[in-house]
Amino acid sequence: MNTRNVYYCNYSIGTDAYGDVPSVCGLYGRKILLIGGEKALAAGKDRLQSALSGTGFEILDTVLYGHDCTYETIAKWADHAKAIGAQMIFGMGGGKALDTAKGAAAKAGLPVFTFPTIAATCAATTALSVVYREDGSFDSFYFYDRPACHCFMDLSIIAKAPVRYLQAGMGDTIGKFFECHFSARGDKLDHSSALGREISNMCYEPLREHGVQAMADCEAGTPSHALEQAVLANIVSTGLVSLMVLDDYNCAIAHSVYYGLVLLPGFEEKWLHGNVVAYGVLVQLAVDGDLSEARRLKAFLQALKIPTTLKEMDVALDRQHLKAMLTETVTGPDMDHIPYPVTEEMVFAAMETVETL
């Protein structure tokens, strides 16, 4: 019988989360390569250095990850980590910075620790990186045996980040709940996937309770209980689901709608991933005929100021204009495991319904 190993990312969260770094990371060494984004390092590096002061830990070098997470930059920083004698890699920033750090650590054979400065994705806790080509187009997913050893979430930093990242993170997190339950419908799940599906409930209801207040607190730059609950949903709950369920149950129509819409010229530059996924959930619910839930979700998304129609996103509801989008939506890999076949006609009809909910 084959053995399956499941690893989880431990975490610290609070306004002094970096204070736990010496005790948590001490087992792995003392010498650090810090990889991050420019704005993230400006927000978090001083706090990290303060936490390390007098502990014997040393940041050997601090580098900017680059423009995208690519196999070239991953290899570059892996080689650099080995060249300077780093014993661990710290990743600080958003998804691309963290994905680069995870990839470099995996390639260099070093432990990695994540320091998210925004709550837009679950990259800090997942065992994969989204890798792009040098021209900025998507290349592939780079999967790892395990996630980061530990994630340090400093709420005082995340609270001061632009609120649109928290907003988009909540949109993507909501998608995890609806897509996981939809794609797993009718299947008899093994223990890990079943547990992950149940955890996906924590990707929606806590946000319904705390999301609006979390947005207000983030706009005010105030760490709070509501913000903590939203951050945990965005980073931890989604990460756990991703780690536990089979790939079949991670995405469905909502994400496929996103990958269709980003084919429209200029669309991806204007709209954050999570906001579009949230709109895609409305389309998925309409395809599935659950308009009562779609109306309930629409009201909540409006409270979060997430666009709920194509009109709000400056996209024409025109079949010919959306031809490539519709084709991509129904043929994309996220549609490989759903409860029933979905056609372009079904998706377009659902988009018409969503437009007039």
Side-chain angles (χ1 to χ4, degrees):
M1 183 176 181
N2 293 330
T3 300
R4 182 184 180 192
N5 298 312
V6 180
Y7 298 95
Y8 307 113
C9 181
N10 299 321
Y11 65 88
S12 300
I13 186 168
T15 54
D16 192 28
Y18 291 3
D20 286 348
V21 171
S23 61
V24 170
C25 302
L27 294 173
Y28 300 89
R30 294 289 189 275
K31 299 183 184 300
I32 303 160
L33 170 62
L34 176 60
I35 299 174
E38 185 174 2
K39 293 179 181 178
L41 291 169
K45 184 180 177 181
D46 287 349
R47 290 181 66 82
L48 177 59
Q49 286 183 314
S50 178
L52 297 178
S53 179
T55 65
F57 280 79
E58 181 184 3
I59 299 177
L60 300 176
D61 196 9
T62 302
V63 299
L64 297 177
Y65 75 93
H67 179 68
D68 277 318
C69 174
T70 67
Y71 286 113
E72 288 78 7
T73 55
I74 284 172
K76 174 183 177 181
W77 299 129
D79 291 342
H80 184 60
K82 290 187 286 187
I84 65 175
Q87 296 170 309
M88 64 190 78
I89 290 179
F90 285 5
M92 180 175 287
K96 291 182 179 181
L98 301 181
D99 281 352
T100 302
K102 290 187 295 182
K107 192 168 182 61
L110 296 174
V112 63
F113 299 85
T114 55
F115 297 76
T117 54
I118 58 176
T121 73
C122 58
T125 60
T126 55
L128 63 89
S129 292
V130 182
V131 183
Y132 297 84
R133 299 185 182 92
E134 289 297 308
D135 64 4
S137 62
F138 171 75
D139 186 320
S140 62
F141 294 112
Y142 186 4
F143 291 96
Y144 313 116
D145 291 335
R146 62 189 70 195
C149 299
H150 202 95
C151 171
F152 298 91
M153 293 168 280
D154 189 317
L155 282 179
S156 63
I157 294 174
I158 295 174
K160 292 180 174 60
V163 70
R164 68 192 189 102
Y165 294 119
L166 176 68
Q167 177 194 55
M170 288 195 280
D172 202 26
T173 299
I174 290 166
K176 183 69 75 175
F177 164 74
F178 284 101
E179 289 183 294
C180 186
H181 279 269
F182 179 73
S183 58
R185 183 187 298 168
D187 287 2
K188 187 170 180 60
L189 307 184
D190 64 13
H191 176 271
S192 186
S193 289
L195 185 56
R197 180 189 59 189
E198 295 311 301
I199 292 174
S200 77
N201 297 332
M202 294 295 292
C203 295
Y204 188 39
E205 290 307 323
L207 293 183
R208 284 189 56 82
E209 181 177 356
H210 301 288
V212 174
Q213 185 61 50
M215 288 269 292
D217 293 337
C218 187
E219 286 182 308
T222 304
S224 66
H225 174 70
L227 180 62
E228 180 174 325
Q229 299 312 298
V231 169
L232 287 170
N234 288 6
I235 296 177
V236 176
S237 296
T238 50
L240 285 172
V241 176
S242 176
L243 288 167
M244 300 188 74
V245 302
L246 294 175
D247 286 342
D248 289 343
Y249 309 129
N250 257 317
C251 296
I253 296 174
H255 268 82
S256 209
V257 166
Y258 164 80
Y259 288 115
L261 285 170
V262 296
L263 296 179
L264 299 176
F267 184 89
E268 190 172 13
E269 291 75 22
K270 189 173 182 180
W271 301 102
L272 291 175
H273 171 89
N275 287 346
V276 184
V277 169
Y279 164 78
V281 175
L282 293 175
V283 176
Q284 178 176 299
L285 288 168
V287 167
D288 206 34
D290 193 350
L291 297 187
S292 61
E293 186 61 54
R295 291 188 182 94
R296 180 172 182 251
L297 176 60
K298 178 183 174 75
F300 178 49
L301 295 180
Q302 288 176 321
L304 295 177
K305 301 177 183 178
I306 292 176
T308 60
T309 64
L310 290 179
K311 184 177 181 180
E312 291 175 83
M313 294 185 283
D314 300 317
V315 175
L317 182 63
D318 177 80
R319 181 68 186 269
Q320 188 60 36
H321 177 63
L322 297 172
K323 180 175 174 53
M325 174 268 167
L326 292 168
T327 301
E328 176 64 27
T329 297
V330 300
T331 60
D334 291 329
M335 303 288 273
D336 286 346
H337 192 92
I338 53 178
Y340 48 80
V342 172
T343 65
E344 293 183 23
E345 289 72 21
M346 292 165 67
V347 174
F348 186 73
M351 296 170 81
E352 290 181 309
T353 298
V354 169
E355 211 68 11
T356 58
L357 274 177

